[in-house]
Amino acid sequence: MTGPRFDPQRSDAIRTMLIDTVEQTPARDHRRHVRIVVLAILAALGIGVGSSAVAMALGGIDLFGPPAATQAAVAPATASPTPTPTPSATPTPEPHPLVVTGDPIAPRDVVSAPPATPAWTIDVPGAGDICQDPQVIDVSDGYALVQSGPTQPPEDLAYDCAPTETKLWLSFVDTRDGTVVWTREWTWPFEPTTYTTANVRVLGTSGHLLVQTVLSGAPQDADPRDVPAEVLDLASGQTLGSLDYFSEHPWDSILPIADDSGDVIAVRRTPADPHGGTGQVTVSREDPLDPSSVAWSVSVDASRVSVSTITNESSVLQISYASTDVQPHSMMKVVDIDSGAIMVEGPQDRRYLYLDGVTIRETMTGSTISSIAGIDDAGNELWSRSDDGRALQVATVTSPQAVPGAGELQTSTVMVSFADGRVEMVDGLTGESRWIVDGSTCTVNPYFEPFQRTPDGLVVQWSSGYSLEDATTSKGPTCAFTMDGEVVDVAGRPAPHPFLDSPDGWTATYELKDAWGSGGVATYKVHSPEGTVPTATVRDAVTGAVLWTRPIASDERWAFAGGYLVGLSGGTMFGIG
């Protein structure tokens, strides 16, 4: 170990040097000189002093106390320059990365009157035009696709588009602030004898987007390359590849798979034999960018076929078909969507409901449900219900959260109606009975209508039915229960979907009276009296109290796009709140 850095003799020498220096310095310079000398001596002795301390000492900033008072010099008077204003910093927008997870998107209800000026506005060609019929497609939280077209004259003969060409317009929008990420547009000659539709689908969580045009009634020699049939990159809108298959028949379809593979279930049909054959339908799993790499394929001889769309992570895919050559006509094949292995086949005796986290299998006896079961993603039975052979009815419980590609969230809760009028609430994940009560006031015929969750913790069944006279979509609540099974009177509540195109709110409902879908000039077969002023009324979803109102355009419609409330009217889309 080394000894002390300073010995007593060296310390005494330093002290004497400081005293002598101070005594020989004029009084007014004492402080400054002391500072300089101290720093110089400390530096010479190897004691580290920061550069800022040196600068303060030389500049007259006392490290040891306040400076002595001195006579200030009087400067000549000059004009003071006008200070240059400091520019305010531009707020940096919060990062909003595109993340496609398939998770439900909650609506951001606008419960207070928003400013009259929209938060943002973008052009949407055809918005408000019944011949283009724009629609919003949820992608993820804060992101949505806006589709306009393809151009198609409506059945309502009061409007004549007289188109000469068909247009399909697609734009990807950040609905937080209206930023347009990309836009694509396709145009082709209009064919009056053909009904044209365009299926735009997000392919699971792969980051790909499929655009498939279907021409119903098209000539057999129609060139599929004349219309859009391709896969796009969702982030950029660039074409990744064209589809080499094309549907000339309305029953052919391409269904997305809810995973990150980008694969689809493709249904192809060969024409029926002109001598009375049924034709063949092929159902396969394949990569739309490389159809030659078919994962599996199942073929059936059938006159018609339907394939279930799986909206959860289940691997159980049902193919139902009808053949004129075999009795009974309704047949099925249940296929493992991953491997293509046949799990069950024969007469159709079941159907599947794909809910959040669980799949419900309904076993049929004739046209009635004899039992139900909850099954896991592999098809293994978790629990079951039956009623000694008597018919059951099953209803789902929905939530206004939007599932990309699947509409409203189908929660894991299941409502079961028994033949004696009892209603049971079942936890679909475990099969646990939450309660069984008298449900005689609920609507079970012709079928057990679904229930909806409410923000105050109820499940409510609404009697639905579109009214052509006033465009309403609900006849009111039929029965309601708490989560503990208590019967609740909700007769005074506003309908969650008061009109044909009402947005799916959670804490609020949206009534667009005399606008699109409820009597406006662009409405399908429903027209308001001359001089009617279209109005939007927003109500509390529980109490029905009016939260705010505003006049709107007769061609206006509202929707939740990526969870944000937007309006469509006059060739534009705009942010409401």
Side-chain angles (χ1 to χ4, degrees):
M1 177 180 292
T2 60
R5 184 162 186 171
F6 299 132
D7 55 30
Q9 293 77 12
R10 191 174 184 188
S11 297
D12 291 339
I14 293 171
R15 186 180 303 108
T16 302
M17 185 187 305
L18 287 173
I19 294 171
D20 291 342
T21 301
V22 171
E23 288 178 347
Q24 296 170 15
T25 303
R28 66 188 181 91
D29 290 335
H30 275 188
R31 292 182 181 275
R32 184 168 183 268
H33 282 223
V34 168
R35 285 192 292 269
I36 295 172
V37 171
V38 170
L39 288 171
I41 294 173
L42 292 178
L45 295 174
I47 299 175
V49 181
S51 59
S52 13
V54 174
M56 288 188 291
L58 296 176
I61 299 175
D62 197 344
L63 297 176
F64 307 104
T70 59
Q71 180 68 36
V74 179
T78 58
S80 299
T82 302
T84 303
T86 303
S88 58
T90 302
T92 303
E94 294 182 8
H96 188 207
L98 171 63
V99 181
V100 182
T101 62
D103 293 337
I105 305 167
R108 294 169 173 82
D109 285 305
V110 182
V111 297
S112 299
T117 302
W120 50 263
T121 301
I122 62 173
D123 291 333
V124 176
D129 183 356
I130 195 172
C131 301
Q132 286 293 117
D133 193 21
Q135 58 182 304
V136 172
I137 304 167
D138 287 307
V139 173
S140 64
D141 189 58
Y143 283 100
L145 289 157
V146 187
Q147 175 186 341
S148 179
T151 311
Q152 191 67 46
E155 293 183 29
D156 191 342
L157 299 181
Y159 302 97
D160 184 9
C161 305
T164 58
E165 58 184 8
T166 301
K167 295 182 179 180
L168 175 63
W169 184 92
L170 191 64
S171 191
F172 189 37
V173 181
D174 182 337
T175 53
R176 297 183 317 161
D177 55 17
T179 299
V180 177
V181 181
W182 55 259
T183 298
R184 294 288 303 271
E185 184 173 3
W186 298 267
T187 304
W188 62 94
F190 177 75
E191 173 54 59
T193 62
T194 301
Y195 185 78
T196 306
T197 57
N199 300 319
V200 178
R201 295 187 174 96
V202 178
L203 297 183
T205 58
S206 67
H208 294 172
L209 181 69
L210 184 141
V211 180
Q212 177 206 15
T213 307
V214 178
L215 304 180
S216 303
Q220 292 298 314
D221 59 353
D223 182 5
R225 303 297 176 181
D226 290 340
V227 298
E230 53 195 81
V231 177
L232 310 182
D233 175 68
L234 181 59
S236 67
Q238 296 297 312
T239 299
L240 298 176
S242 297
L243 307 180
D244 77 337
Y245 44 81
F246 177 74
S247 176
E248 297 178 354
H249 306 281
W251 48 80
D252 288 351
S253 59
I254 303 173
L255 306 176
I257 297 177
D259 61 15
D260 61 359
S261 67
D263 289 353
V264 297
I265 299 297
V267 182
R268 295 190 185 89
R269 176 179 172 82
T270 57
D273 189 307
H275 301 292
T278 59
Q280 189 176 72
V281 177
T282 302
V283 180
S284 59
R285 174 174 180 155
E286 56 193 62
D287 180 352
L289 294 173
D290 183 15
S292 62
S293 59
V294 176
W296 53 262
S297 180
V298 174
S299 296
V300 295
D301 292 324
S303 57
R304 63 181 184 274
V305 64
S306 66
V307 181
S308 57
T309 299
I310 300 176
T311 56
N312 59 14
E313 297 181 359
S314 175
S315 63
V316 181
L317 178 71
Q318 181 168 342
I319 304 170
S320 302
Y321 60 98
S323 172
T324 57
D325 299 330
V326 180
Q327 295 293 338
H329 296 312
S330 296
M331 306 290 289
M332 70 171 184
K333 291 180 184 288
V334 179
V335 181
D336 184 309
I337 199 171
D338 297 317
S339 67
I342 303 296
M343 305 171 74
V344 181
E345 63 179 322
Q348 183 172 347
D349 65 350
R350 67 193 63 194
R351 61 190 178 198
Y352 297 91
L353 304 175
Y354 300 99
L355 310 183
D356 184 30
V358 68
T359 299
I360 303 301
R361 183 187 66 220
E362 299 177 339
T363 300
M364 315 292 293
T365 300
S367 60
T368 61
I369 303 171
S370 55
S371 67
I372 66 169
I375 60 174
D376 63 17
D377 292 342
N380 300 308
E381 185 173 308
L382 304 173
W383 55 266
S384 64
R385 290 289 189 280
S386 61
D387 191 19
D388 296 328
R390 292 180 292 182
L392 301 176
Q393 293 270 34
V394 178
T396 58
V397 178
T398 66
S399 167
Q401 294 169 287
V403 179
E408 283 189 325
L409 174 67
Q410 304 287 327
T411 71
S412 59
T413 300
V414 182
M415 307 293 285
V416 182
S417 174
F418 296 91
D420 59 5
R422 292 174 299 141
V423 169
E424 180 183 14
M425 176 184 279
V426 181
D427 182 336
L429 299 174
T430 64
E432 178 185 356
S433 177
R434 292 178 175 169
W435 45 257
I436 302 177
V437 299
D438 176 25
S440 55
T441 62
C442 300
T443 299
V444 295
N445 290 313
Y447 66 96
F448 196 22
E449 298 201 58
F451 287 72
Q452 291 182 316
R453 287 178 52 203
T454 67
D456 57 336
L458 307 181
V459 288
V460 182
Q461 184 191 60
W462 295 84
S463 177
S464 61
Y466 177 68
S467 170
L468 192 61
E469 287 72 25
D470 58 9
T472 56
T473 57
S474 176
K475 298 176 182 177
T478 59
C479 62
F481 307 95
T482 67
M483 295 304 290
D484 295 326
E486 297 179 9
V487 178
V488 183
D489 182 5
V490 293
R493 295 203 180 200
H497 302 94
F499 295 112
L500 185 63
D501 284 308
S502 296
D504 296 324
W506 174 236
T507 60
T509 65
Y510 303 86
E511 304 172 7
L512 273 62
K513 181 67 174 174
D514 299 314
W516 181 294
S518 64
V521 296
T523 300
Y524 173 71
K525 292 187 177 180
V526 183
H527 310 283
S528 299
E530 193 71 26
T532 301
V533 178
T535 304
T537 302
V538 181
R539 300 179 183 276
D540 185 288
V542 175
T543 66
V546 174
L547 300 176
W548 55 276
T549 65
R550 68 162 41 167
I552 55 176
S554 59
D555 68 349
E556 190 166 330
R557 65 166 62 171
W558 292 1
F560 280 101
Y564 290 85
L565 187 63
V566 303
L568 293 154
S569 174
T572 65
M573 183 169 84
F574 49 91
I576 296 174

Coordinates of all heavy atoms in Angstrom, one line a residue, residues 47-102:
I47 N -4.6 17.6 -8.7 CA -6.0 17.4 -8.3 C -6.9 17.8 -9.4 O -6.9 18.9 -9.9 CB -6.3 18.3 -7.0 CG1 -5.4 17.8 -5.9 CG2 -7.8 18.1 -6.6 CD1 -5.5 18.7 -4.6
G48 N -7.7 16.9 -9.9 CA -8.6 17.1 -11.1 C -9.6 18.2 -10.8 O -10.3 18.2 -9.8
V49 N -9.7 19.2 -11.8 CA -10.8 20.2 -11.7 C -11.5 20.2 -13.1 O -10.8 20.3 -14.1 CB -10.2 21.6 -11.4 CG1 -11.3 22.6 -11.4 CG2 -9.4 21.6 -10.1
G50 N -12.8 20.2 -13.1 CA -13.5 20.2 -14.3 C -13.3 21.4 -15.1 O -13.1 22.5 -14.6
S51 N -13.5 21.4 -16.5 CA -13.3 22.5 -17.3 C -14.3 23.6 -17.1 O -14.0 24.8 -17.2 CB -13.4 22.1 -18.8 OG -14.6 21.5 -19.1
S52 N -15.5 23.2 -16.7 CA -16.5 24.2 -16.4 C -16.2 25.0 -15.1 O -16.5 26.2 -15.0 CB -17.9 23.7 -16.2 OG -18.0 22.4 -16.0
A53 N -15.6 24.4 -14.2 CA -15.1 25.1 -12.9 C -14.1 26.1 -13.3 O -14.1 27.2 -12.8 CB -14.6 24.1 -11.9
V54 N -13.2 25.7 -14.2 CA -12.1 26.7 -14.6 C -12.8 27.9 -15.3 O -12.4 29.0 -15.1 CB -11.1 26.0 -15.5 CG1 -10.1 27.0 -16.1 CG2 -10.4 24.9 -14.8
A55 N -13.7 27.6 -16.2 CA -14.4 28.7 -16.9 C -15.1 29.6 -16.0 O -15.1 30.8 -16.2 CB -15.4 28.1 -18.0
M56 N -15.8 29.1 -15.0 CA -16.5 29.9 -14.0 C -15.6 30.8 -13.2 O -15.8 31.9 -12.9 CB -17.4 29.0 -13.1 CG -18.6 28.4 -13.7 SD -19.7 27.6 -12.6 CE -18.7 26.2 -12.1
A57 N -14.4 30.2 -12.9 CA -13.4 31.0 -12.1 C -12.9 32.2 -12.9 O -12.8 33.3 -12.4 CB -12.3 30.1 -11.7
L58 N -12.5 31.9 -14.2 CA -12.0 33.0 -15.0 C -13.1 34.0 -15.4 O -12.8 35.1 -15.6 CB -11.4 32.3 -16.3 CG -10.2 31.4 -16.0 CD1 -9.7 30.8 -17.3 CD2 -9.0 32.2 -15.4
G59 N -14.3 33.6 -15.4 CA -15.4 34.5 -15.9 C -16.0 35.3 -14.7 O -16.9 36.0 -15.0
G60 N -15.6 35.1 -13.5 CA -16.1 35.9 -12.4 C -17.2 35.3 -11.7 O -17.9 35.9 -10.9
I61 N -17.5 34.0 -11.9 CA -18.6 33.3 -11.2 C -17.9 32.7 -10.0 O -17.0 31.8 -10.1 CB -19.3 32.2 -12.1 CG1 -19.9 32.9 -13.3 CG2 -20.3 31.5 -11.3 CD1 -20.5 32.0 -14.2
D62 N -18.3 33.1 -8.8 CA -17.7 32.7 -7.6 C -18.1 31.2 -7.2 O -19.2 30.9 -7.1 CB -18.1 33.6 -6.5 CG -17.1 33.5 -5.3 OD1 -16.4 32.5 -5.2 OD2 -17.2 34.4 -4.4
L63 N -17.1 30.4 -7.1 CA -17.3 29.0 -6.7 C -17.5 28.9 -5.2 O -18.0 27.9 -4.7 CB -16.1 28.2 -7.1 CG -15.9 28.0 -8.6 CD1 -14.6 27.2 -8.8 CD2 -17.0 27.4 -9.3
F64 N -17.1 30.0 -4.4 CA -17.1 29.9 -3.0 C -18.1 30.9 -2.3 O -18.2 30.9 -1.1 CB -15.7 30.2 -2.4 CG -14.7 29.3 -3.1 CD1 -13.8 29.9 -4.0 CD2 -14.5 28.0 -2.7 CE1 -12.8 29.1 -4.6 CE2 -13.6 27.2 -3.3 CZ -12.7 27.7 -4.3
G65 N -18.8 31.7 -3.1 CA -19.7 32.7 -2.5 C -20.1 33.8 -3.5 O -19.6 33.8 -4.6
P66 N -20.9 34.8 -3.1 CA -21.3 35.8 -4.0 C -20.2 36.7 -4.3 O -19.3 37.0 -3.5 CB -22.5 36.5 -3.2 CG -22.1 36.2 -1.8 CD -21.5 34.9 -1.7
P67 N -20.2 37.3 -5.5 CA -19.1 38.3 -5.9 C -19.3 39.6 -5.1 O -20.3 39.9 -4.6 CB -19.4 38.5 -7.4 CG -20.8 38.2 -7.5 CD -21.2 37.2 -6.5
A68 N -18.1 40.3 -5.0 CA -18.1 41.6 -4.3 C -18.8 42.6 -5.2 O -18.8 42.6 -6.4 CB -16.7 42.1 -4.0
A69 N -19.5 43.6 -4.5 CA -20.2 44.7 -5.3 C -19.1 45.6 -6.0 O -18.2 46.0 -5.4 CB -21.0 45.5 -4.4
T70 N -19.4 45.9 -7.3 CA -18.5 46.7 -8.1 C -19.3 47.8 -8.8 O -20.5 47.6 -9.0 CB -17.7 45.8 -9.1 OG1 -18.7 45.2 -10.0 CG2 -16.8 44.8 -8.4
Q71 N -18.6 48.9 -9.2 CA -19.2 49.9 -9.9 C -19.5 49.5 -11.3 O -18.6 49.2 -12.1 CB -18.3 51.2 -9.9 CG -18.9 52.4 -10.6 CD -20.1 53.0 -9.9 OE1 -20.1 53.0 -8.7 NE2 -21.1 53.4 -10.6
A72 N -20.7 49.5 -11.7 CA -21.1 49.1 -13.1 C -20.8 50.2 -14.1 O -21.1 51.4 -13.8 CB -22.6 48.7 -13.2
A73 N -20.2 49.9 -15.2 CA -19.9 50.9 -16.3 C -21.2 51.3 -16.9 O -22.1 50.4 -17.2 CB -19.0 50.3 -17.3
V74 N -21.4 52.6 -17.3 CA -22.6 53.1 -17.9 C -22.4 53.0 -19.4 O -21.5 53.7 -20.0 CB -22.9 54.5 -17.5 CG1 -24.2 55.0 -18.2 CG2 -23.1 54.6 -16.0
A75 N -23.2 52.2 -20.1 CA -23.1 52.1 -21.6 C -24.0 53.1 -22.2 O -25.0 53.5 -21.7 CB -23.5 50.7 -22.0
P76 N -23.6 53.6 -23.4 CA -24.4 54.5 -24.2 C -25.7 53.9 -24.5 O -25.8 52.7 -24.8 CB -23.6 54.8 -25.4 CG -22.6 53.7 -25.6 CD -22.3 53.2 -24.2
A77 N -26.8 54.8 -24.5 CA -28.1 54.3 -24.9 C -28.2 53.9 -26.3 O -27.8 54.6 -27.2 CB -29.2 55.4 -24.5
T78 N -28.8 52.7 -26.6 CA -29.0 52.2 -27.9 C -30.4 51.7 -28.0 O -31.0 51.3 -27.0 CB -28.0 51.2 -28.3 OG1 -28.1 50.1 -27.4 CG2 -26.6 51.7 -28.3
A79 N -30.9 51.6 -29.2 CA -32.2 51.0 -29.4 C -32.2 49.5 -29.2 O -31.3 48.8 -29.7 CB -32.7 51.3 -30.9
S80 N -33.1 49.0 -28.4 CA -33.1 47.5 -28.1 C -33.7 46.8 -29.3 O -34.8 47.1 -29.9 CB -34.1 47.2 -26.9 OG -33.6 47.9 -25.8
P81 N -33.0 45.8 -29.8 CA -33.5 45.0 -31.0 C -34.7 44.2 -30.6 O -34.9 43.8 -29.5 CB -32.3 44.1 -31.3 CG -31.6 43.9 -30.0 CD -31.7 45.3 -29.3
T82 N -35.6 44.1 -31.6 CA -36.9 43.3 -31.3 C -36.5 41.9 -31.2 O -35.8 41.3 -32.1 CB -37.8 43.5 -32.5 OG1 -38.1 44.9 -32.6 CG2 -39.1 42.7 -32.3
P83 N -36.9 41.2 -30.1 CA -36.5 39.8 -29.9 C -37.1 39.0 -31.0 O -38.3 39.1 -31.4 CB -37.0 39.5 -28.5 CG -38.1 40.5 -28.3 CD -37.7 41.7 -29.0
T84 N -36.3 38.0 -31.5 CA -36.8 37.1 -32.5 C -37.7 36.0 -31.9 O -37.2 35.4 -30.9 CB -35.7 36.4 -33.3 OG1 -34.9 37.4 -33.9 CG2 -36.2 35.5 -34.4
P85 N -38.9 35.9 -32.3 CA -39.8 34.9 -31.6 C -39.3 33.5 -31.8 O -38.8 33.2 -32.9 CB -41.1 35.1 -32.3 CG -40.8 35.8 -33.6 CD -39.6 36.6 -33.4
T86 N -39.3 32.7 -30.8 CA -38.9 31.4 -30.9 C -40.0 30.5 -31.5 O -41.1 30.5 -31.0 CB -38.6 30.8 -29.5 OG1 -37.6 31.6 -28.9 CG2 -38.1 29.4 -29.6
P87 N -39.7 29.9 -32.6 CA -40.8 29.1 -33.3 C -41.2 27.9 -32.4 O -40.4 27.3 -31.7 CB -40.1 28.6 -34.6 CG -38.6 28.6 -34.3 CD -38.4 29.8 -33.3
S88 N -42.5 27.7 -32.3 CA -43.0 26.7 -31.5 C -42.7 25.3 -32.2 O -42.8 25.2 -33.4 CB -44.6 26.8 -31.4 OG -45.2 26.8 -32.6
A89 N -42.4 24.4 -31.3 CA -42.1 23.1 -31.9 C -43.3 22.4 -32.4 O -44.3 22.4 -31.9 CB -41.4 22.2 -30.7
T90 N -43.1 21.8 -33.6 CA -44.2 21.0 -34.2 C -44.3 19.7 -33.5 O -43.4 19.0 -33.2 CB -43.8 20.7 -35.7 OG1 -43.6 21.9 -36.4 CG2 -45.0 19.9 -36.3
P91 N -45.6 19.5 -33.0 CA -45.8 18.2 -32.2 C -45.4 17.0 -33.1 O -45.8 16.9 -34.2 CB -47.3 18.2 -31.9 CG -47.7 19.7 -32.1 CD -46.8 20.2 -33.1
T92 N -44.6 16.1 -32.5 CA -44.3 14.9 -33.2 C -45.4 13.9 -33.0 O -45.8 13.5 -31.9 CB -43.0 14.3 -32.6 OG1 -41.9 15.3 -32.6 CG2 -42.5 13.1 -33.3
P93 N -45.9 13.4 -34.1 CA -47.0 12.5 -34.0 C -46.6 11.2 -33.4 O -45.4 10.7 -33.6 CB -47.4 12.2 -35.5 CG -46.3 12.6 -36.3 CD -45.6 13.7 -35.5
E94 N -47.4 10.6 -32.6 CA -47.1 9.3 -32.0 C -46.9 8.2 -33.0 O -47.7 8.2 -34.0 CB -48.2 8.9 -31.0 CG -48.3 9.8 -29.8 CD -49.4 9.3 -28.9 OE1 -49.9 8.2 -29.1 OE2 -49.8 10.0 -27.9
P95 N -45.9 7.4 -32.9 CA -45.7 6.3 -33.8 C -47.0 5.4 -33.9 O -47.6 5.2 -32.9 CB -44.5 5.5 -33.3 CG -43.8 6.5 -32.4 CD -44.9 7.4 -31.8
H96 N -47.3 5.0 -35.1 CA -48.5 4.2 -35.3 C -48.1 3.0 -36.3 O -48.5 3.0 -37.4 CB -49.7 5.0 -35.8 CG -51.0 4.2 -35.8 ND1 -52.0 4.5 -36.7 CD2 -51.4 3.2 -35.1 CE1 -53.0 3.7 -36.5 NE2 -52.6 2.9 -35.5
P97 N -47.3 2.1 -35.8 CA -46.9 1.0 -36.7 C -48.1 0.1 -37.1 O -49.0 0.0 -36.3 CB -45.9 0.2 -35.9 CG -46.3 0.5 -34.5 CD -46.8 1.9 -34.4
L98 N -48.1 -0.4 -38.3 CA -49.1 -1.3 -38.7 C -48.8 -2.7 -38.2 O -47.8 -3.3 -38.5 CB -49.1 -1.4 -40.3 CG -50.0 -2.4 -40.9 CD1 -51.5 -2.2 -40.5 CD2 -49.9 -2.5 -42.4
V99 N -49.7 -3.2 -37.3 CA -49.5 -4.5 -36.7 C -50.8 -5.3 -36.9 O -51.8 -4.9 -36.4 CB -49.2 -4.4 -35.2 CG1 -49.0 -5.9 -34.7 CG2 -47.9 -3.6 -35.0
V100 N -50.8 -6.3 -37.8 CA -52.0 -7.0 -38.1 C -52.0 -8.3 -37.2 O -51.2 -9.2 -37.4 CB -52.0 -7.4 -39.6 CG1 -53.3 -8.2 -39.9 CG2 -51.9 -6.2 -40.4
T101 N -52.9 -8.3 -36.2 CA -52.9 -9.4 -35.3 C -54.2 -10.2 -35.3 O -54.2 -11.3 -34.8 CB -52.7 -8.9 -33.8 OG1 -53.9 -8.0 -33.5 CG2 -51.5 -8.1 -33.7
G102 N -55.2 -9.6 -36.0 CA -56.5 -10.3 -36.0 C -57.3 -10.1 -34.7 O -58.4 -10.6 -34.5

